[in-house]
Amino acid sequence: MAAEIVEPSDPISPSHALVRVDVETISETIRRALGLGATRASRDELAETDETLRGHVTLLLSDIRETASRQLHSFETQQLTRRLDRIKQHLAHPFGQGPLTADAEVHQRARDCQWLLAYYTAEARR
């Protein structure tokens, strides 16, 4: 089962997001994105990877926000909410125009996705 790519503007129902998250597909996308820094990836390859990562981040972000909204308000919940807000703000950044900027955007988006996936899988084990 592959993870469905969801555009940032699409509404996602958290109950449906649980079904659509494919940890292996997202993990592979993250590995590929982080590996692009070791090669001279084309702008098209970076753009395609960024688009895929945006879909994964949006999917995970929606589900984790839903989980956070059900938690008791605490310092940890506030920290989580701030981190999710920063990741959401980063989603609003347009894809970089220059090769260095584009590479940096993909790398940061991959790190955001990696953190979200780690949090998601940890919560799923609880």
Side-chain angles (χ1 to χ4, degrees), residues 79-101:
Q79 293 295 78
L80 172 62
T81 301
R82 285 186 189 120
R83 178 97 188 236
L84 297 176
D85 288 346
R86 282 193 304 270
I87 292 171
K88 183 179 178 184
Q89 288 171 353
H90 187 243
L91 272 178
H93 289 188
F95 184 64
Q97 295 301 311
L100 190 58
T101 307

